[in-house]
Amino acid sequence: MAIKQVVKAAALAVGLFAPPLAAADGCPTVLLPSYQWPVVAPGWTAQLVLGGLTKPRSIAIDVKQAVLVVEAGKGISRHVFKNYGGTCYVLESSTLIINQPRLNHGIALSNDGTKLYASTVDSVYQYDYDASTGTVANKQPTVVVNNMGNNDLVTRTLLISRFQKDTLLVSRGSSDGNIGQASVMENGLSQIRSFSLAAAGSRIYNYNTDGTVLGWGLRNSVGVGEHPVTGGIYAVENSIDGVTRDGKDVHENNPGEELNFLGYLNGTRANLDKYNYGYPKCFAVWEPSEIPNSEGLSVGNQFAITENSTLTDETCAKDYVEPRLTFGAHQAPLDIKFGLGGTRAYITFRGSFDRTQPVGYRLASVEFNDDRGEPKAAANSKDALTDIMTNVNNTVCPDKCFRPVGLAVDFNNVLWMTSDSTGEIYVLQRSGLSTTPPETTGTGLFVNTTSQVKNAASRPMSWDAKVLRYVVAAVMGAWFVV
Ligand SMILES: *[C@@H]1O[C@H](CO)[C@@H](O)[C@H](O)[C@H]1NC(C)=O
Ligand SMILES: *[C@@H]1O[C@H](CO)[C@@H](O)[C@H](O)[C@H]1NC(C)=O
Ligand SMILES: *[C@@H]1O[C@H](CO)[C@@H](O)[C@H](O)[C@H]1NC(C)=O
Ligand SMILES: *[C@@H]1O[C@H](CO)[C@@H](O)[C@H](O)[C@H]1NC(C)=O
């Protein structure tokens, strides 16, 4: 018989006889959280794949698909997983590749993946990184940026642009935990700056005087992301607590947390007035009805805590950039990453500490137009967020809840997420919109079993599984033809 026929029959057999390799089926290792299984939105599958880490914060995926995690107070660890299809990732090895307790949040890989950047409260360091061996060559790293030390808001989030090569963004918050010093150019506070990495190694940038200011008047924009189609830069802002206006406590629901648009990296920043986001003078409205004298204010408008002859809601509107979207107060957004294709941004909300009813403690998404790189929702929307993974009951948070921090989207559009308080890493995957009825497996995958869809065909398979499938298919095919 002709080889062609065998191949055709084999291909047919793949379709007919390949077992559905869903994540829950035979995942050799399934971890359970110590708290109640989180709720996962319909169309998504989630799995806990690693625990026991020390405050895992930001996360990055190297060119070999290994997972690099900043463990605050410890260093950077590298984790290799084997994928058994879907979200079934089983740990093969973990190594502490950088032993440096001062590293506390930021991580980024260079465009070619051979340099690893990590941050402490005062500096950004560069390490020579080899993904094929999973090792760092220089234990004494090169200092790229310094002079960032202010000890209340200590994260220095890093992002390396894929559009503007060799460009590092560094986000630095205010000098005070709540309302701090004004953000002015020279003090480098409450800013996001960019630095060219071409000169790294030959000079050390002073954060306060070097680089390009992309945005200022940002209290603590911990999450910074780049839209994968347009290169637009977005940041999520953690706004202030304890706000009163005209003597009334409005802090429960005001001001809102923010999603700010910081423009593109391809131009110059001639007029920096267009990039001041208002802190510490003006804040975003979330619940206008709870703000005294709020006539004319709606969601996302900026308001002044105390109006006087020079600072009013009107001057706030005129002088500062309003958020592109506003979210409910106190949720603490800590990262924003875009899915491949740019139709969705993922945002982690680590959760509140000063609100009667705890809020946040969730992973959510915002729909984007892929071509324009803008959120679909209007700026005054109150429902731009769609939950992906939440805790069952926020009343028991923070103690018995996951607290999401860092996000990474890998080459298969799989989402990796850290939870620092529980020392965990989760993997999440959109499982498509198949209408196949759900299976209840009880294996420890915490899916919403009333709505969970399985679409095994669209999930990445491990190489072994693929080989096995083709061997089976070839045998079946040959048998058919015979
Ligand atoms: C920068 O990129 C944006 C988005 O792709 C584009 O609209 C704009 O024209 C570019 N600006 C320059 C100066 O190239
Ligand atoms: C108005 O309030 C702002 C913020 O508190 C302050 O910086 C400014 O000096 C005040 N202006 C006057 C005229 O009191
Ligand atoms: C959430 O937990 C609290 C405290 O245990 C309980 O009182 C409340 O009924 C729970 N809410 C729901 C919706 O289960
Ligand atoms: C599970 O999904 C169904 C259907 O979408 C939804 O009605 C239900 O509220 C979800 N359950 C939970 C616990 O989220």
Side-chain angles (χ1 to χ4, degrees), residues 153-192:
L153 301 174
V154 296
T155 59
R156 304 289 176 258
T157 304
L158 308 180
L159 175 89
I160 289 181
S161 170
R162 284 197 238 153
F163 280 73
Q164 203 71 15
K165 297 290 178 213
D166 294 325
T167 301
L168 172 73
L169 273 52
V170 185
S171 178
R172 177 186 182 197
S174 160
S175 62
D176 183 280
N178 201 31
I179 294 205
Q181 265 174 276
S183 170
V184 293
M185 284 308 138
E186 306 74 43
N187 65 14
L189 294 170
S190 305
Q191 299 180 11
I192 297 177

Side-chain angles (χ1 to χ4, degrees), residues 169-318:
L169 273 52
V170 185
S171 178
R172 177 186 182 197
S174 160
S175 62
D176 183 280
N178 201 31
I179 294 205
Q181 265 174 276
S183 170
V184 293
M185 284 308 138
E186 306 74 43
N187 65 14
L189 294 170
S190 305
Q191 299 180 11
I192 297 177
R193 291 192 180 215
S194 73
F195 302 90
S196 167
L197 292 172
S202 59
R203 61 169 299 188
I204 297 174
Y205 294 112
N206 178 335
Y207 190 90
N208 303 335
T209 51
D210 296 326
T212 301
V213 176
L214 297 179
W216 53 309
L218 294 162
R219 175 177 170 270
N220 198 23
S221 284
V222 181
V224 187
E226 179 179 57
H227 190 271
V229 176
T230 64
I233 302 296
Y234 284 87
V236 282
E237 166 81 332
N238 290 251
S239 201
I240 58 171
D241 185 24
V243 170
T244 59
R245 163 129 147 169
D246 299 346
K248 181 188 172 194
D249 179 350
V250 300
H251 94 279
E252 277 283 293
N253 295 310
N254 288 289
E257 310 287 42
E258 305 174 10
L259 175 71
N260 288 307
F261 178 56
L262 288 109
Y264 305 98
L265 302 177
N266 56 1
T268 50
R269 294 277 147 124
N271 184 1
L272 272 173
D273 289 344
K274 287 191 192 157
Y275 295 94
N276 189 322
Y277 295 80
Y279 174 85
K281 291 189 172 162
C282 302
F283 302 93
V285 173
W286 178 249
E287 280 295 350
S289 64
E290 296 176 12
I291 298 176
N293 302 310
S294 64
E295 297 76 28
L297 289 178
S298 60
V299 176
N301 290 156
Q302 307 239 27
F303 70 99
I305 294 178
T306 303
E307 294 184 284
N308 61 30
S309 59
T310 57
L311 179 68
T312 64
D313 297 341
E314 289 71 30
T315 63
C316 285
K318 183 167 67 66

